[in-house]
Amino acid sequence: MSSLILKIIHRNWKQGRTVSRLEVVTSFKAAKNPVKQYSLTEGIPVSDWQSYRPNENFDLGVVVSFGHLIQEEMISSFNRGMLNVHASLLPQLRGAAPIVHAIANGHRRTGISIMRIEPKRFDIGEILLQSTVDIPRDMLMPQLHDELAQLGADCLMQCIDDFDFYNGQALRQDGSKATYAPKIDRNFAEIRWKHHRALQIYDLYRSLYSLAPLKTWFCGEPVKLFEIAYCHDQSNAKKQTEKAPGCIEYSRQTKQLLVWCCDGFCIEVLQLSIGRKKTLTAQDFHNGFLSKVAHSRKVFG
């Protein structure tokens, strides 16, 4: 998101519109940092976050997907403070991973908030502008990320182009309505078959798509699920309440694995890996592993 927004601001600067001077501060830690790379390629002055100290008079600072608390000294060094482009409808989903949590929680709507940065706490500042987007039932994380990035860039430039107006109508957040989207840890992708409903597992898959595969176990070996599907029309589906959560069946007709969940419905697994082996199709997994174990052991978990 940050690299696309930088490109939009840079285009504005080159066109001689609202932005008359531009510099970038980012982290140099990561080997591949698209913000740093774009800045160097385009000749934009770029500084390392760890060593940067404000020594010039800038009007406005902009923060996007940064993940660090900004010191009060730096915020006050900008004549008009700093704005943050946050990928949620604040105060919903305050935190580091709002896009992932929006999908994992099954939300059907999210959006962008342009807010003031305040020192010492994340995502509590006054909101200058918000805009919403729908989350279609099968949308994957990269699709929503890209849509929000473009929307965020448009909203940011709208605020910058008429800053006095939006700054003057900024609204304080209602903290009583706050929800949270903390940083994703290694356990987030772990499927808990006895607790997760089929739709919950599918939403978790959509939220982590391109970031991390879902994780489970089979006969003591770690398993990664790379591609799954879910049938939304469960009205004609017969609940299999007699099947244990995580129970696996192979469909010769569709060449998919059907895995039953705690609500009696199933997800469909198309690609997976076991141990440190290469990615397998459902048919490969059935032929190489599932068909060779007793019925009572044909369970994920």
Side-chain angles (χ1 to χ4, degrees):
M1 180 177 288
S2 52
S3 58
L4 175 60
I5 291 177
L6 173 58
K7 292 175 183 178
I8 299 293
I9 297 175
H10 183 226
R11 186 186 310 150
N12 179 288
W13 173 52
K14 290 197 296 185
Q15 292 172 349
R17 291 173 55 201
T18 312
V19 179
S20 60
R21 185 176 176 188
L22 178 65
E23 291 190 15
V24 170
V25 178
T26 187
S27 174
F28 283 15
K29 269 188 176 182
K32 294 182 179 180
N33 181 334
V35 170
K36 176 185 176 184
Q37 187 58 48
Y38 180 83
S39 300
L40 293 173
T41 301
E42 295 295 328
I44 304 171
V46 57
S47 302
D48 183 9
W49 158 253
Q50 295 293 339
S51 58
Y52 178 77
R53 296 292 179 272
N55 54 14
E56 298 285 350
N57 289 323
F58 284 95
D59 291 314
L60 189 65
V62 174
V63 178
V64 184
S65 305
F66 193 53
H68 298 278
L69 281 174
I70 310 296
Q71 295 178 353
E72 188 168 4
E73 174 192 6
M74 187 172 294
I75 297 172
S76 60
S77 72
F78 293 90
N79 298 328
R80 299 194 174 197
M82 301 183 77
L83 298 181
N84 179 34
V85 183
H86 188 80
S88 83
L89 298 173
L90 291 170
Q92 296 177 30
L93 300 178
R94 292 175 174 173
I99 301 176
V100 170
H101 283 279
I103 298 176
N105 293 340
H107 292 183
R108 301 304 303 275
R109 188 185 73 153
T110 188
I112 286 291
S113 299
I114 308 298
M115 54 158 286
R116 289 193 189 122
I117 289 283
E118 293 188 8
K120 300 179 182 179
R121 289 182 63 191
F122 283 110
D123 303 334
I124 65 166
E126 293 181 322
I127 296 171
L128 281 70
L129 178 64
Q130 287 186 320
S131 186
T132 64
V133 296
D134 292 329
I135 307 177
R137 188 62 272 180
D138 294 302
M139 178 177 268
L140 303 175
M141 190 281 296
Q143 297 169 302
L144 182 58
H145 175 277
D146 291 350
E147 186 170 342
L148 287 171
Q150 184 61 58
L151 180 63
D154 294 341
C155 289
L156 176 64
M157 291 313 305
Q158 188 175 336
C159 285
I160 291 176
D161 285 341
D162 198 357
F163 182 79
D164 289 337
F165 170 76
Y166 288 103
N167 190 49
Q169 67 168 16
L171 297 175
R172 186 169 298 278
Q173 296 183 42
D174 183 352
S176 67
K177 297 180 180 179
T179 59
Y180 297 92
K183 186 177 180 180
I184 302 304
D185 62 25
R186 64 178 61 186
N187 297 321
F188 191 78
E190 191 84 31
I191 299 175
R192 294 176 291 122
W193 298 100
K194 293 181 180 179
H195 302 281
H196 280 143
R197 292 177 284 107
L199 182 55
Q200 286 180 304
I201 294 172
Y202 179 62
D203 288 341
L204 185 62
Y205 161 75
R206 294 190 302 122
S207 76
L208 292 174
Y209 188 85
S210 81
L211 291 178
L214 301 189
K215 301 174 186 176
T216 186
W217 296 84
F218 179 75
C219 294
E221 291 283 342
V223 171
K224 296 179 180 178
L225 306 184
F226 291 103
E227 186 177 353
I228 72 172
Y230 172 78
C231 178
H232 294 290
D233 183 11
Q234 297 285 352
S235 58
N236 296 321
K238 183 181 178 181
K239 272 194 172 184
Q240 299 288 342
T241 53
E242 74 279 4
K243 294 186 182 294
C247 177
I248 312 166
E249 290 184 0
Y250 176 67
S251 170
R252 295 186 182 278
Q253 182 179 2
T254 64
K255 293 183 170 56
Q256 295 174 349
L257 298 174
L258 306 179
V259 189
W260 303 97
C261 306
C262 72
D263 57 354
F265 295 113
C266 68
I267 60 165
E268 302 160 3
V269 177
L270 289 75
Q271 288 191 334
L272 69 166
S273 69
I274 181 167
R276 298 182 179 274
K277 297 178 174 62
K278 65 179 182 179
T279 302
L280 305 170
T281 66
Q283 184 176 24
D284 292 335
F285 179 79
H286 171 261
N287 293 339
F289 298 93
L290 196 63
S291 63
K292 298 179 180 180
V293 301
H295 180 76
S296 60
R297 300 185 68 198
K298 294 181 179 181
V299 177
F300 283 142

